[in-house]
Amino acid sequence: GAVVSQHPSRVICKSGTSVKIECRSLDFQATTMFWYRQFPKQSLMLMATSNEGSKATYEQGVEKDKFLINHASLTLSTLTVTSAHPEDSSFYICSASGGGEKLFFGSGTQLSVL
Amino acid sequence: DAKTTQPTSMDCAEGRAANLPCNHSTISGNEYVYWYRQIHSQGPQYIIHGLKNNETNEMASLIITEDRKSSTLILPHATLRDTAVYYCIVRVMGYSTLTFGKGTMLLVSP
């Protein structure tokens, strides 16, 4: 099956720094990518949807200036958490769609902000 | 809000069949039923999906009622590695996202 690679799997950073998370579709062209956030013992919450070459669409309550999403190619999307604070600590997951039947997910990134 | 209703948790003995129910009474004609699972601290894993007919693959079987208002995911011989949160999601095929509800926590015990 199709593979979505997400990197890094775990990151620890100091408060105020920025962190970039990469999401790559390895064997298909991902015209649309989705970014989710998951807090402990909760379900996945959609943060934003990005289409290749255009600006991301953010869900209500998600700060677009804090969570910068770039989808510059059909195989790569990045999420940058700018000026991270402890409350941004969470499990971030990307998913990718080539417009077909299935949506594939990355393995997730555990962000811990000290 | 999620359009599906699932039990919060279920238990299953190893080697037995696990039958996970899902209600989706407001499903539209062009929406498919998808099942994903999430093992702790990992990304969701696709299991199976269907529109009207029952489906089977190497992982599981999906039984959809004739009126499409509910479905059941069947893991024929559950193993300890099947312990996970199982999500039933309805989705229009194509570029739309998946909206996750709370899912069912399946615990497979020896």
Side-chain angles (χ1 to χ4, degrees):
Chain A
V3 177
V4 175
S5 174
Q6 187 172 343
H7 179 80
S9 59
R10 183 177 298 272
V11 59
I12 301 173
C13 70
K14 293 182 179 179
S15 184
T17 60
S18 295
V19 174
K20 180 184 284 188
I21 302 170
E22 290 189 351
C23 181
R24 294 180 184 273
S25 58
L26 297 185
D27 55 359
F28 68 101
Q29 293 186 328
T31 48
T32 305
M33 286 190 172
F34 306 95
W35 287 94
Y36 296 81
R37 180 169 53 183
Q38 185 176 32
F39 292 108
K41 298 188 178 180
Q42 294 188 21
S43 189
L44 285 77
M45 295 297 295
L46 180 67
M47 298 175 66
T49 301
S50 71
N51 292 298
E52 185 264 338
S54 61
K55 290 184 179 180
T57 302
Y58 290 81
E59 296 298 301
Q60 191 173 7
V62 178
E63 300 174 57
K64 63 179 181 180
D65 294 330
K66 181 170 188 59
F67 299 99
L68 301 179
I69 292 173
N70 183 284
H71 191 169
S73 78
L74 286 171
T75 60
L76 174 64
S77 177
T78 60
L79 168 67
T80 301
V81 183
T82 62
S83 186
H85 288 94
E87 57 266 30
D88 299 323
S89 297
S90 186
F91 191 55
Y92 292 87
I93 308 167
C94 70
S95 68
S97 170
E101 298 183 355
K102 304 175 189 175
L103 202 59
F104 299 97
F105 287 82
S107 54
T109 297
Q110 182 63 52
L111 171 64
S112 299
V113 185
L114 304 179
Chain B
D1 290 343
K3 300 180 183 179
T4 62
T5 304
Q6 299 176 252
T8 302
S9 63
M10 294 184 66
D11 294 327
C12 180
E14 189 178 21
R16 305 297 295 267
N19 297 287
L20 290 84
C22 179
N23 285 321
H24 31 79
S25 58
T26 60
I27 191 170
S28 301
N30 62 345
E31 287 183 313
Y32 288 69
V33 179
Y34 283 79
W35 283 84
Y36 281 76
R37 72 180 182 184
Q38 186 179 26
I39 296 169
H40 182 62
S41 298
Q42 296 183 25
Q45 177 189 22
Y46 167 82
I47 300 174
I48 199 167
H49 74 282
L51 182 63
K52 297 183 202 178
N53 300 322
N54 297 337
E55 302 288 343
T56 295
N57 62 22
E58 65 279 1
M59 289 183 69
S61 294
L62 173 60
I63 308 299
I64 302 174
T65 58
E66 193 168 344
D67 63 9
R68 303 211 321 126
K69 292 185 177 182
S70 65
S71 61
T72 301
L73 178 74
I74 301 172
L75 307 179
H77 305 286
T79 70
L80 300 180
R81 288 179 293 180
D82 292 323
T83 292
V85 178
Y86 287 77
Y87 296 99
C88 168
I89 304 165
V90 295
R91 170 183 183 248
V92 175
M93 188 175 291
Y95 296 95
S96 62
T97 185
L98 289 166
T99 300
F100 288 81
K102 298 183 186 300
T104 295
M105 175 65 217
L106 175 67
L107 177 62
V108 181
S109 303

